Amino acid sequence: MMSVALNERNVYENFDQESDVLYFKLGSQGLVSFHGRNYNRKKRMTAEELRSLTNEKNYFQISSDCFINLSKIRSISDGTVYFGSQNSDAKQLHVNRRKQYAIEQVFQQFSQTK
């Protein structure tokens, strides 16, 4: 029983950028704020790591400093991107109508290629 607990991954300390992160925001001097289902974590990254992260196919830029994980979107409506049920307290981001339309287009293409 103890070995099972030791093998479980601590998502806060050792998160996977593709499967655990809902969205991230770029800060100054390489500081990135990652937002997961149950956590927010800041991590300093090198210029090369940032370039690699922002070029990931799963992420779509919705503002100058914010990227969303397309594989984690559950729905998009009324200017809001939902990362869980609309009726829950799951994380969500507000976007303008023009950006919502762009996200819907990219999300549709992304979903078809999965």
Side-chain angles (χ1 to χ4, degrees), residues 34-82:
F34 291 97
H35 299 264
R37 204 169 60 101
N38 297 321
Y39 68 89
N40 298 329
R41 177 161 185 260
K42 291 186 179 183
K43 180 179 177 184
R44 191 160 306 283
M45 299 182 85
T46 66
E48 183 58 38
E49 289 173 323
L50 282 172
R51 198 171 12 266
S52 174
L53 179 62
T54 56
N55 288 331
E56 280 282 326
K57 64 177 172 48
N58 279 11
Y59 289 108
F60 180 70
Q61 188 170 9
I62 62 166
S63 68
S64 61
D65 67 343
C66 186
F67 292 75
I68 58 175
N69 188 340
L70 295 170
S71 68
K72 296 298 180 181
I73 294 174
R74 292 295 155 252
S75 63
I76 306 165
S77 67
D78 299 325
T80 304
V81 176
Y82 295 93

Side-chain angles (χ1 to χ4, degrees), residues 11-13 15 20-25 32-43 91-93:
V11 177
Y12 182 80
E13 292 295 325
F15 62 92
D20 297 331
V21 175
L22 302 176
Y23 63 95
F24 66 87
K25 293 185 177 184
V32 180
S33 179
F34 291 97
H35 299 264
R37 204 169 60 101
N38 297 321
Y39 68 89
N40 298 329
R41 177 161 185 260
K42 291 186 179 183
K43 180 179 177 184
K91 291 198 178 172
Q92 51 190 266
L93 284 174

